[in-house]
Amino acid sequence: MAREELTRLTGNGNGTCGGDDCPNVYRTAKGSFVVQGDVSHAFGAPEGEGLVEIPEETLREAVRVPGR
């Protein structure tokens, strides 16, 4: 899945970081979410999964997006 196929819900310049390399939340066409953030090593995720860490403000911003 390419980034262009996702709907970006966060990181539109209103937070502490507005570029594409910042923590972000995206919605897929299926209605699921893709989260971009710093890799976390808090525990070992199952094979095929990964852990990312994102700031609370990023999640709050994603929830505030109207109509999505």
Side-chain angles (χ1 to χ4, degrees):
M1 174 179 316
R3 183 183 291 191
E4 295 77 26
E5 299 175 71
L6 303 171
T7 300
R8 188 173 175 170
L9 302 179
T10 59
N12 295 316
N14 298 329
T16 58
C17 185
D20 287 339
D21 60 345
C22 301
N24 283 300
V25 177
Y26 301 87
R27 178 171 284 189
T28 70
K30 298 184 298 185
S32 60
F33 297 92
V34 174
V35 179
Q36 174 185 351
D38 294 328
V39 174
S40 173
H41 300 287
F43 61 89
E47 187 170 334
E49 296 183 5
L51 303 174
V52 296
E53 183 175 347
I54 62 171
E56 181 179 340
E57 73 177 56
T58 302
L59 287 178
R60 289 185 183 278
E61 182 182 352
V63 171
R64 287 192 306 262
V65 174
R68 294 188 183 167

